[in-house]
PDB file of all heavy atoms in Angstrom:
ATOM      1  N   ASP A 264       0.871  -1.160   0.000  1.00 96.00           N
ATOM      2  CA  ASP A 264       0.000   0.000   0.000  1.00 96.00           C
ATOM      3  C   ASP A 264       0.914   1.217   0.000  1.00 96.00           C
ATOM      4  O   ASP A 264       1.478   1.581   1.033  1.00 96.00           O
ATOM      5  CB  ASP A 264      -0.919  -0.005   1.220  1.00 96.00           C
ATOM      6  CG  ASP A 264      -1.939   1.115   1.191  1.00 96.00           C
ATOM      7  OD1 ASP A 264      -1.691   2.148   0.547  1.00 96.00           O
ATOM      8  OD2 ASP A 264      -2.998   0.959   1.825  1.00 96.00           O
ATOM      9  N   ASN A 265       1.078   1.845  -1.155  1.00 94.00           N
ATOM     10  CA  ASN A 265       2.017   2.952  -1.285  1.00 94.00           C
ATOM     11  C   ASN A 265       1.619   4.164  -0.442  1.00 94.00           C
ATOM     12  O   ASN A 265       2.479   4.890   0.054  1.00 94.00           O
ATOM     13  CB  ASN A 265       2.157   3.356  -2.753  1.00 94.00           C
ATOM     14  CG  ASN A 265       2.825   2.291  -3.594  1.00 94.00           C
ATOM     15  OD1 ASN A 265       3.643   1.512  -3.108  1.00 94.00           O
ATOM     16  ND2 ASN A 265       2.487   2.248  -4.877  1.00 94.00           N
ATOM     17  N   ALA A 266       0.325   4.388  -0.283  1.00 93.00           N
ATOM     18  CA  ALA A 266      -0.142   5.516   0.518  1.00 93.00           C
ATOM     19  C   ALA A 266       0.246   5.366   1.982  1.00 93.00           C
ATOM     20  O   ALA A 266       0.426   6.359   2.686  1.00 93.00           O
ATOM     21  CB  ALA A 266      -1.651   5.674   0.384  1.00 93.00           C
ATOM     22  N   LYS A 267       0.373   4.115   2.450  1.00 95.00           N
ATOM     23  CA  LYS A 267       0.730   3.845   3.841  1.00 95.00           C
ATOM     24  C   LYS A 267       2.191   3.449   4.011  1.00 95.00           C
ATOM     25  O   LYS A 267       2.617   3.169   5.138  1.00 95.00           O
ATOM     26  CB  LYS A 267      -0.156   2.737   4.408  1.00 95.00           C
ATOM     27  CG  LYS A 267      -1.631   3.083   4.454  1.00 95.00           C
ATOM     28  CD  LYS A 267      -2.441   1.934   5.039  1.00 95.00           C
ATOM     29  CE  LYS A 267      -3.918   2.281   5.122  1.00 95.00           C
ATOM     30  NZ  LYS A 267      -4.719   1.166   5.683  1.00 95.00           N
ATOM     31  N   ASN A 268       2.955   3.406   2.911  1.00 96.00           N
ATOM     32  CA  ASN A 268       4.354   2.959   2.953  1.00 96.00           C
ATOM     33  C   ASN A 268       4.477   1.602   3.650  1.00 96.00           C
ATOM     34  O   ASN A 268       5.378   1.381   4.458  1.00 96.00           O
ATOM     35  CB  ASN A 268       5.241   3.993   3.648  1.00 96.00           C
ATOM     36  CG  ASN A 268       5.469   5.235   2.813  1.00 96.00           C
ATOM     37  OD1 ASN A 268       5.308   5.218   1.584  1.00 96.00           O
ATOM     38  ND2 ASN A 268       5.851   6.324   3.455  1.00 96.00           N
ATOM     39  N   THR A 269       3.574   0.696   3.307  1.00 97.00           N
ATOM     40  CA  THR A 269       3.490  -0.588   3.975  1.00 97.00           C
ATOM     41  C   THR A 269       3.495  -1.732   2.963  1.00 97.00           C
ATOM     42  O   THR A 269       2.859  -1.638   1.906  1.00 97.00           O
ATOM     43  CB  THR A 269       2.227  -0.676   4.841  1.00 97.00           C
ATOM     44  OG1 THR A 269       2.253   0.366   5.821  1.00 97.00           O
ATOM     45  CG2 THR A 269       2.150  -2.015   5.556  1.00 97.00           C
ATOM     46  N   MET A 270       4.207  -2.806   3.293  1.00 98.00           N
ATOM     47  CA  MET A 270       4.258  -4.019   2.496  1.00 98.00           C
ATOM     48  C   MET A 270       3.723  -5.176   3.331  1.00 98.00           C
ATOM     49  O   MET A 270       3.900  -5.215   4.546  1.00 98.00           O
ATOM     50  CB  MET A 270       5.700  -4.304   2.059  1.00 98.00           C
ATOM     51  CG  MET A 270       5.888  -5.628   1.332  1.00 98.00           C
ATOM     52  SD  MET A 270       7.630  -5.942   0.871  1.00 98.00           S
ATOM     53  CE  MET A 270       8.417  -6.010   2.489  1.00 98.00           C
ATOM     54  N   TYR A 271       3.086  -6.133   2.663  1.00 98.00           N
ATOM     55  CA  TYR A 271       2.490  -7.268   3.338  1.00 98.00           C
ATOM     56  C   TYR A 271       2.988  -8.577   2.720  1.00 98.00           C
ATOM     57  O   TYR A 271       3.380  -8.631   1.553  1.00 98.00           O
ATOM     58  CB  TYR A 271       0.963  -7.231   3.235  1.00 98.00           C
ATOM     59  CG  TYR A 271       0.350  -5.924   3.659  1.00 98.00           C
ATOM     60  CD1 TYR A 271       0.069  -4.934   2.721  1.00 98.00           C
ATOM     61  CD2 TYR A 271       0.053  -5.679   4.993  1.00 98.00           C
ATOM     62  CE1 TYR A 271      -0.492  -3.732   3.105  1.00 98.00           C
ATOM     63  CE2 TYR A 271      -0.505  -4.475   5.380  1.00 98.00           C
ATOM     64  CZ  TYR A 271      -0.779  -3.503   4.439  1.00 98.00           C
ATOM     65  OH  TYR A 271      -1.334  -2.312   4.827  1.00 98.00           O
ATOM     66  N   LEU A 272       2.956  -9.640   3.507  1.00 98.00           N
ATOM     67  CA  LEU A 272       3.255 -10.975   3.026  1.00 98.00           C
ATOM     68  C   LEU A 272       2.227 -11.930   3.602  1.00 98.00           C
ATOM     69  O   LEU A 272       2.209 -12.169   4.807  1.00 98.00           O
ATOM     70  CB  LEU A 272       4.666 -11.413   3.424  1.00 98.00           C
ATOM     71  CG  LEU A 272       5.110 -12.772   2.867  1.00 98.00           C
ATOM     72  CD1 LEU A 272       5.263 -12.703   1.350  1.00 98.00           C
ATOM     73  CD2 LEU A 272       6.416 -13.225   3.507  1.00 98.00           C
ATOM     74  N   GLN A 273       1.364 -12.463   2.738  1.00 98.00           N
ATOM     75  CA  GLN A 273       0.390 -13.470   3.142  1.00 98.00           C
ATOM     76  C   GLN A 273       0.989 -14.842   2.893  1.00 98.00           C
ATOM     77  O   GLN A 273       1.311 -15.177   1.750  1.00 98.00           O
ATOM     78  CB  GLN A 273      -0.921 -13.304   2.375  1.00 98.00           C
ATOM     79  CG  GLN A 273      -1.989 -14.314   2.744  1.00 98.00           C
ATOM     80  CD  GLN A 273      -2.397 -14.223   4.196  1.00 98.00           C
ATOM     81  OE1 GLN A 273      -2.617 -13.123   4.706  1.00 98.00           O
ATOM     82  NE2 GLN A 273      -2.479 -15.347   4.883  1.00 98.00           N
ATOM     83  N   MET A 274       1.137 -15.635   3.942  1.00 98.00           N
ATOM     84  CA  MET A 274       1.762 -16.938   3.864  1.00 98.00           C
ATOM     85  C   MET A 274       0.716 -18.018   4.118  1.00 98.00           C
ATOM     86  O   MET A 274       0.122 -18.071   5.197  1.00 98.00           O
ATOM     87  CB  MET A 274       2.900 -17.059   4.876  1.00 98.00           C
ATOM     88  CG  MET A 274       3.971 -15.978   4.714  1.00 98.00           C
ATOM     89  SD  MET A 274       5.351 -16.178   5.868  1.00 98.00           S
ATOM     90  CE  MET A 274       4.517 -15.827   7.419  1.00 98.00           C
ATOM     91  N   ASN A 275       0.495 -18.870   3.130  1.00 98.00           N
ATOM     92  CA  ASN A 275      -0.457 -19.971   3.232  1.00 98.00           C
ATOM     93  C   ASN A 275       0.262 -21.303   3.095  1.00 98.00           C
ATOM     94  O   ASN A 275       1.387 -21.375   2.606  1.00 98.00           O
ATOM     95  CB  ASN A 275      -1.540 -19.850   2.150  1.00 98.00           C
ATOM     96  CG  ASN A 275      -2.349 -18.581   2.246  1.00 98.00           C
ATOM     97  OD1 ASN A 275      -2.652 -18.105   3.345  1.00 98.00           O
ATOM     98  ND2 ASN A 275      -2.717 -18.019   1.099  1.00 98.00           N
ATOM     99  N   SER A 276      -0.414 -22.380   3.509  1.00 98.00           N
ATOM    100  CA  SER A 276       0.140 -23.730   3.412  1.00 98.00           C
ATOM    101  C   SER A 276       1.553 -23.788   3.974  1.00 98.00           C
ATOM    102  O   SER A 276       2.475 -24.324   3.349  1.00 98.00           O
ATOM    103  CB  SER A 276       0.117 -24.211   1.961  1.00 98.00           C
ATOM    104  OG  SER A 276      -1.190 -24.204   1.428  1.00 98.00           O
ATOM    105  N   LEU A 277       1.734 -23.259   5.159  1.00 98.00           N
ATOM    106  CA  LEU A 277       3.061 -23.154   5.754  1.00 98.00           C
ATOM    107  C   LEU A 277       3.654 -24.522   6.052  1.00 98.00           C
ATOM    108  O   LEU A 277       2.945 -25.458   6.440  1.00 98.00           O
ATOM    109  CB  LEU A 277       3.003 -22.309   7.022  1.00 98.00           C
ATOM    110  CG  LEU A 277       2.901 -20.803   6.767  1.00 98.00           C
ATOM    111  CD1 LEU A 277       2.434 -20.072   8.017  1.00 98.00           C
ATOM    112  CD2 LEU A 277       4.251 -20.262   6.307  1.00 98.00           C
ATOM    113  N   LYS A 278       4.970 -24.620   5.884  1.00 98.00           N
ATOM    114  CA  LYS A 278       5.725 -25.837   6.107  1.00 98.00           C
ATOM    115  C   LYS A 278       6.773 -25.601   7.188  1.00 98.00           C
ATOM    116  O   LYS A 278       7.194 -24.466   7.403  1.00 98.00           O
ATOM    117  CB  LYS A 278       6.423 -26.283   4.816  1.00 98.00           C
ATOM    118  CG  LYS A 278       5.504 -26.460   3.622  1.00 98.00           C
ATOM    119  CD  LYS A 278       6.306 -26.764   2.363  1.00 98.00           C
ATOM    120  CE  LYS A 278       5.404 -26.926   1.153  1.00 98.00           C
ATOM    121  NZ  LYS A 278       6.188 -27.205  -0.077  1.00 98.00           N
ATOM    122  N   PRO A 279       7.225 -26.658   7.864  1.00 98.00           N
ATOM    123  CA  PRO A 279       8.270 -26.478   8.875  1.00 98.00           C
ATOM    124  C   PRO A 279       9.521 -25.788   8.332  1.00 98.00           C
ATOM    125  O   PRO A 279      10.166 -25.033   9.065  1.00 98.00           O
ATOM    126  CB  PRO A 279       8.575 -27.914   9.324  1.00 98.00           C
ATOM    127  CG  PRO A 279       7.286 -28.637   9.117  1.00 98.00           C
ATOM    128  CD  PRO A 279       6.704 -28.043   7.861  1.00 98.00           C
ATOM    129  N   GLU A 280       9.854 -26.021   7.066  1.00 97.00           N
ATOM    130  CA  GLU A 280      11.026 -25.391   6.485  1.00 97.00           C
ATOM    131  C   GLU A 280      10.861 -23.892   6.248  1.00 97.00           C
ATOM    132  O   GLU A 280      11.818 -23.210   5.873  1.00 97.00           O
ATOM    133  CB  GLU A 280      11.432 -26.083   5.167  1.00 97.00           C
ATOM    134  CG  GLU A 280      10.285 -26.260   4.187  1.00 97.00           C
ATOM    135  CD  GLU A 280       9.668 -27.646   4.248  1.00 97.00           C
ATOM    136  OE1 GLU A 280       9.453 -28.148   5.376  1.00 97.00           O
ATOM    137  OE2 GLU A 280       9.413 -28.240   3.188  1.00 97.00           O
ATOM    138  N   ASP A 281       9.654 -23.360   6.451  1.00 98.00           N
ATOM    139  CA  ASP A 281       9.442 -21.919   6.395  1.00 98.00           C
ATOM    140  C   ASP A 281       9.861 -21.234   7.688  1.00 98.00           C
ATOM    141  O   ASP A 281       9.870 -20.001   7.756  1.00 98.00           O
ATOM    142  CB  ASP A 281       7.974 -21.599   6.107  1.00 98.00           C
ATOM    143  CG  ASP A 281       7.532 -22.055   4.730  1.00 98.00           C
ATOM    144  OD1 ASP A 281       8.305 -21.896   3.770  1.00 98.00           O
ATOM    145  OD2 ASP A 281       6.397 -22.575   4.613  1.00 98.00           O
ATOM    146  N   THR A 282      10.181 -21.999   8.712  1.00 98.00           N
ATOM    147  CA  THR A 282      10.597 -21.438   9.990  1.00 98.00           C
ATOM    148  C   THR A 282      11.866 -20.609   9.819  1.00 98.00           C
ATOM    149  O   THR A 282      12.881 -21.104   9.314  1.00 98.00           O
ATOM    150  CB  THR A 282      10.838 -22.548  11.013  1.00 98.00           C
ATOM    151  OG1 THR A 282       9.606 -23.229  11.280  1.00 98.00           O
ATOM    152  CG2 THR A 282      11.371 -21.973  12.322  1.00 98.00           C
ATOM    153  N   ALA A 283      11.812 -19.345  10.228  1.00 98.00           N
ATOM    154  CA  ALA A 283      12.940 -18.435  10.071  1.00 98.00           C
ATOM    155  C   ALA A 283      12.590 -17.086  10.680  1.00 98.00           C
ATOM    156  O   ALA A 283      11.437 -16.830  11.040  1.00 98.00           O
ATOM    157  CB  ALA A 283      13.293 -18.255   8.588  1.00 98.00           C
ATOM    158  N   VAL A 284      13.594 -16.228  10.788  1.00 98.00           N
ATOM    159  CA  VAL A 284      13.358 -14.821  11.074  1.00 98.00           C
ATOM    160  C   VAL A 284      13.142 -14.122   9.743  1.00 98.00           C
ATOM    161  O   VAL A 284      13.971 -14.233   8.836  1.00 98.00           O
ATOM    162  CB  VAL A 284      14.526 -14.180  11.836  1.00 98.00           C
ATOM    163  CG1 VAL A 284      14.270 -12.692  12.048  1.00 98.00           C
ATOM    164  CG2 VAL A 284      14.735 -14.878  13.170  1.00 98.00           C
ATOM    165  N   TYR A 285      12.031 -13.422   9.615  1.00 98.00           N
ATOM    166  CA  TYR A 285      11.689 -12.736   8.378  1.00 98.00           C
ATOM    167  C   TYR A 285      12.014 -11.253   8.505  1.00 98.00           C
ATOM    168  O   TYR A 285      11.587 -10.590   9.455  1.00 98.00           O
ATOM    169  CB  TYR A 285      10.209 -12.931   8.051  1.00 98.00           C
ATOM    170  CG  TYR A 285       9.906 -14.301   7.491  1.00 98.00           C
ATOM    171  CD1 TYR A 285       9.979 -15.428   8.301  1.00 98.00           C
ATOM    172  CD2 TYR A 285       9.574 -14.468   6.153  1.00 98.00           C
ATOM    173  CE1 TYR A 285       9.729 -16.692   7.786  1.00 98.00           C
ATOM    174  CE2 TYR A 285       9.312 -15.724   5.632  1.00 98.00           C
ATOM    175  CZ  TYR A 285       9.396 -16.835   6.453  1.00 98.00           C
ATOM    176  OH  TYR A 285       9.141 -18.088   5.933  1.00 98.00           O
ATOM    177  N   TYR A 286      12.773 -10.728   7.527  1.00 98.00           N
ATOM    178  CA  TYR A 286      13.226  -9.347   7.533  1.00 98.00           C
ATOM    179  C   TYR A 286      12.615  -8.559   6.385  1.00 98.00           C
ATOM    180  O   TYR A 286      12.458  -9.079   5.276  1.00 98.00           O
ATOM    181  CB  TYR A 286      14.751  -9.273   7.402  1.00 98.00           C
ATOM    182  CG  TYR A 286      15.514  -9.894   8.548  1.00 98.00           C
ATOM    183  CD1 TYR A 286      15.926 -11.222   8.494  1.00 98.00           C
ATOM    184  CD2 TYR A 286      15.838  -9.148   9.677  1.00 98.00           C
ATOM    185  CE1 TYR A 286      16.632 -11.795   9.526  1.00 98.00           C
ATOM    186  CE2 TYR A 286      16.549  -9.716  10.719  1.00 98.00           C
ATOM    187  CZ  TYR A 286      16.941 -11.039  10.637  1.00 98.00           C
ATOM    188  OH  TYR A 286      17.657 -11.603  11.673  1.00 98.00           O
ATOM    189  N   CYS A 287      12.314  -7.306   6.645  1.00 98.00           N
ATOM    190  CA  CYS A 287      11.814  -6.385   5.634  1.00 98.00           C
ATOM    191  C   CYS A 287      12.962  -5.547   5.096  1.00 98.00           C
ATOM    192  O   CYS A 287      13.833  -5.111   5.850  1.00 98.00           O
ATOM    193  CB  CYS A 287      10.746  -5.476   6.246  1.00 98.00           C
ATOM    194  SG  CYS A 287      10.102  -4.195   5.144  1.00 98.00           S
ATOM    195  N   ASN A 288      12.983  -5.322   3.787  1.00 98.00           N
ATOM    196  CA  ASN A 288      13.979  -4.476   3.137  1.00 98.00           C
ATOM    197  C   ASN A 288      13.275  -3.510   2.192  1.00 98.00           C
ATOM    198  O   ASN A 288      12.320  -3.886   1.517  1.00 98.00           O
ATOM    199  CB  ASN A 288      14.986  -5.330   2.370  1.00 98.00           C
ATOM    200  CG  ASN A 288      15.951  -4.495   1.547  1.00 98.00           C
ATOM    201  OD1 ASN A 288      15.675  -4.158   0.390  1.00 98.00           O
ATOM    202  ND2 ASN A 288      17.091  -4.162   2.132  1.00 98.00           N
ATOM    203  N   ALA A 289      13.760  -2.280   2.136  1.00 97.00           N
ATOM    204  CA  ALA A 289      13.210  -1.296   1.215  1.00 97.00           C
ATOM    205  C   ALA A 289      14.324  -0.489   0.580  1.00 97.00           C
ATOM    206  O   ALA A 289      15.209   0.011   1.279  1.00 97.00           O
ATOM    207  CB  ALA A 289      12.234  -0.363   1.936  1.00 97.00           C
ATOM    208  N   VAL A 290      14.287  -0.376  -0.742  1.00 97.00           N
ATOM    209  CA  VAL A 290      15.186   0.502  -1.482  1.00 97.00           C
ATOM    210  C   VAL A 290      14.453   1.826  -1.665  1.00 97.00           C
ATOM    211  O   VAL A 290      13.372   1.855  -2.253  1.00 97.00           O
ATOM    212  CB  VAL A 290      15.572  -0.093  -2.839  1.00 97.00           C
ATOM    213  CG1 VAL A 290      16.451   0.886  -3.614  1.00 97.00           C
ATOM    214  CG2 VAL A 290      16.280  -1.421  -2.653  1.00 97.00           C
ATOM    215  N   LEU A 291      15.038   2.913  -1.155  1.00 94.00           N
ATOM    216  CA  LEU A 291      14.321   4.172  -1.142  1.00 94.00           C
ATOM    217  C   LEU A 291      15.255   5.370  -1.205  1.00 94.00           C
ATOM    218  O   LEU A 291      16.475   5.247  -1.079  1.00 94.00           O
ATOM    219  CB  LEU A 291      13.424   4.266   0.105  1.00 94.00           C
ATOM    220  CG  LEU A 291      14.080   4.094   1.480  1.00 94.00           C
ATOM    221  CD1 LEU A 291      14.703   5.395   1.969  1.00 94.00           C
ATOM    222  CD2 LEU A 291      13.044   3.605   2.493  1.00 94.00           C
ATOM    223  N   VAL A 292      14.658   6.537  -1.411  1.00 93.00           N
ATOM    224  CA  VAL A 292      15.350   7.813  -1.340  1.00 93.00           C
ATOM    225  C   VAL A 292      14.827   8.549  -0.125  1.00 93.00           C
ATOM    226  O   VAL A 292      13.620   8.794  -0.016  1.00 93.00           O
ATOM    227  CB  VAL A 292      15.129   8.653  -2.611  1.00 93.00           C
ATOM    228  CG1 VAL A 292      15.749  10.039  -2.455  1.00 93.00           C
ATOM    229  CG2 VAL A 292      15.707   7.949  -3.826  1.00 93.00           C
ATOM    230  N   ALA A 293      15.709   8.896   0.794  1.00 92.00           N
ATOM    231  CA  ALA A 293      15.329   9.633   1.990  1.00 92.00           C
ATOM    232  C   ALA A 293      15.491  11.135   1.763  1.00 92.00           C
ATOM    233  O   ALA A 293      16.280  11.567   0.927  1.00 92.00           O
ATOM    234  CB  ALA A 293      16.170   9.189   3.179  1.00 92.00           C
ATOM    235  N   GLN A 294      14.752  11.929   2.508  1.00 91.00           N
ATOM    236  CA  GLN A 294      14.851  13.383   2.410  1.00 91.00           C
ATOM    237  C   GLN A 294      16.264  13.846   2.732  1.00 91.00           C
ATOM    238  O   GLN A 294      16.862  13.399   3.708  1.00 91.00           O
ATOM    239  CB  GLN A 294      13.843  14.037   3.347  1.00 91.00           C
ATOM    240  CG  GLN A 294      13.763  15.550   3.203  1.00 91.00           C
ATOM    241  CD  GLN A 294      12.711  16.159   4.101  1.00 91.00           C
ATOM    242  OE1 GLN A 294      12.254  15.542   5.056  1.00 91.00           O
ATOM    243  NE2 GLN A 294      12.312  17.374   3.800  1.00 91.00           N
ATOM    244  N   GLY A 295      16.813  14.703   1.880  1.00 87.00           N
ATOM    245  CA  GLY A 295      18.149  15.222   2.091  1.00 87.00           C
ATOM    246  C   GLY A 295      19.261  14.383   1.494  1.00 87.00           C
ATOM    247  O   GLY A 295      20.433  14.714   1.661  1.00 87.00           O
ATOM    248  N   SER A 296      18.923  13.316   0.771  1.00 82.00           N
ATOM    249  CA  SER A 296      19.912  12.399   0.219  1.00 82.00           C
ATOM    250  C   SER A 296      20.357  12.758  -1.191  1.00 82.00           C
ATOM    251  O   SER A 296      21.173  12.048  -1.772  1.00 82.00           O
ATOM    252  CB  SER A 296      19.365  10.976   0.229  1.00 82.00           C
ATOM    253  OG  SER A 296      18.300  10.854  -0.704  1.00 82.00           O
ATOM    254  N   LEU A 297      19.833  13.824  -1.759  1.00 83.00           N
ATOM    255  CA  LEU A 297      20.124  14.222  -3.138  1.00 83.00           C
ATOM    256  C   LEU A 297      19.775  13.112  -4.124  1.00 83.00           C
ATOM    257  O   LEU A 297      20.472  12.893  -5.118  1.00 83.00           O
ATOM    258  CB  LEU A 297      21.590  14.648  -3.280  1.00 83.00           C
ATOM    259  CG  LEU A 297      22.039  15.822  -2.411  1.00 83.00           C
ATOM    260  CD1 LEU A 297      23.519  16.112  -2.620  1.00 83.00           C
ATOM    261  CD2 LEU A 297      21.206  17.061  -2.715  1.00 83.00           C
TER     262      LEU A 297
END
């Protein structure tokens, strides 16, 4: 949702091998970064 600067991940049919720490990453331009 670009208006909310939010990303979602819907995970279905989960398996034991999906067990992990999940991290969010964003490539962006911050204010003042030219």
Side-chain angles (χ1 to χ4, degrees):
D264 186 335
N265 293 331
K267 297 180 179 180
N268 288 339
T269 301
M270 174 182 62
Y271 308 94
L272 184 67
Q273 180 62 45
M274 303 183 292
N275 299 323
S276 302
L277 283 163
K278 305 174 181 179
E280 50 262 44
D281 294 319
T282 296
V284 177
Y285 283 70
Y286 297 93
C287 176
N288 173 272
V290 177
L291 56 83
V292 174
Q294 186 177 18
S296 68
L297 300 178

